[in-house]
Amino acid sequence: MNKEIKIQLTEISKVFYTDEIETHALRGINLSIYAGDYLTITGPSGCGKSTLLSILGLLDSPTSGKYIIEDEDVSSLTVDQRAVIRNKKIGFIFQAFNLIDELNIFDNVALPLRYRQPSLSAEETKERVLSCLEQVQMSHRANHSPNQVSGGQQQRVAIARALVGFPTMLLVDEPTGNLDSKNGDAVMDMLAELNENGTTICMVTHDPRYAGMAKTQLHLSDGVLLNDLELGETA
């Protein structure tokens, strides 16, 4: 049975212009992400990983090429149009957690739903938030503030926040960068379990051990995307 293509990048390039200098951050990226995929992207600093993640997450637009999410071409949308689709289709997990200390854990997880149009009812919001907190074993901390829990627990909350909107894909940026090895392993085990249950994940990481946990491993080099076979040929 053919798997459903969730994300399709075709000949995506990104050029940054500074005065008279052109910086080609991405060059002709072709990438298909299928429902239930778990892929990692590795590469040295400055190779284009952050740029690629920004385009995948609709935080930026490509200079050229086509980007399709679930049959919708999002290559040339306005900032506001990208924001609407990003809220519905993309879940983010960051290295720095990016939780808001002034909000308790329940409200941090609920935040993406507050910007939904049409808005969800209070009861549906509560049901979704508590369900996602239960998934990451943080229901008992719903009324705590982020600074009352550990770094590993904060990252669990960030995962719940990413899941609460039922996204097409999770974009994960160095999720263990601020964690010790024990908490890092726990977060990676949780991501693996989410993927086993059907969540589509695209992760950027510097850690080859964690990259090896993914089903598909890609490497960026000077803005060009290489797969395992191409890496072997160029080694």
Side-chain angles (χ1 to χ4, degrees):
M1 186 172 67
N2 291 332
K3 293 174 67 176
E4 178 189 0
I5 295 180
K6 290 291 188 179
I7 304 287
Q8 183 82 56
L9 302 185
T10 305
E11 292 297 318
I12 291 288
S13 294
K14 182 66 178 181
V15 183
F16 293 102
Y17 299 94
T18 305
D19 296 329
E20 297 179 358
I21 300 173
E22 291 185 7
T23 301
H24 291 260
L26 298 175
R27 303 169 185 266
I29 300 291
N30 293 294
L31 177 63
S32 298
I33 301 177
Y34 295 84
D37 270 359
Y38 184 178
L39 62 90
T40 53
I41 300 172
T42 60
S45 296
C47 70
K49 298 191 302 298
S50 296
T51 302
L52 179 56
L53 215 62
S54 291
I55 289 174
L56 281 169
L58 297 173
L59 298 169
D60 200 357
S61 293
T63 303
S64 61
K66 182 176 285 190
Y67 178 11
I68 294 175
I69 299 179
E70 294 184 325
D71 298 323
E72 184 170 4
D73 191 343
V74 297
S75 312
S76 305
L77 299 182
T78 66
V79 171
D80 289 343
Q81 289 170 330
R82 290 203 309 267
V84 170
I85 294 177
R86 182 169 62 244
N87 180 272
K88 291 181 178 178
K89 296 184 182 292
I90 305 293
F92 290 95
I93 302 170
F94 302 98
Q95 175 178 334
F97 317 140
N98 289 356
L99 301 177
I100 299 173
D101 284 335
E102 291 74 21
L103 300 179
N104 66 20
I105 281 170
F106 180 97
D107 287 332
N108 266 281
V109 175
L111 199 59
L113 302 180
R114 309 291 190 203
Y115 293 94
R116 279 287 170 95
Q117 293 296 333
S119 58
L120 276 64
S121 68
E123 188 58 36
E124 187 174 1
T125 296
K126 180 179 178 181
E127 185 178 323
R128 281 205 197 185
V129 171
L130 293 180
S131 174
C132 289
L133 284 173
E134 187 175 346
Q135 272 187 273
V136 300
Q137 300 162 20
M138 286 296 291
S139 301
H140 62 299
R141 297 288 198 171
N143 294 319
H144 289 72
S145 65
N147 57 23
Q148 291 178 305
V149 301
S150 69
Q153 289 175 320
Q154 288 187 55
Q155 192 61 293
R156 287 171 181 248
V157 174
I159 292 171
R161 181 185 57 192
L163 292 171
V164 78
F166 300 159
T168 301
M169 175 177 64
L170 288 187
L171 288 180
V172 186
D173 188 8
E174 298 286 358
T176 62
N178 285 338
L179 302 176
D180 59 31
S181 58
K182 180 181 177 181
N183 280 304
D185 289 348
V187 165
M188 292 305 301
D189 288 344
M190 186 170 295
L191 290 175
E193 183 178 348
L194 288 170
N195 177 249
E196 287 299 317
N197 291 327
T199 302
T200 305
I201 298 174
C202 177
M203 180 174 73
V204 163
T205 180
H206 282 99
D207 192 320
R209 183 167 60 98
Y210 292 146
M213 295 176 68
K215 297 170 184 174
T216 303
Q217 297 163 47
L218 303 172
H219 187 84
L220 261 177
S221 178
D222 295 327
V224 177
L225 199 58
L226 306 172
N227 59 31
D228 289 338
L229 178 60
E230 290 169 318
L231 281 171
E233 290 172 347
T234 58

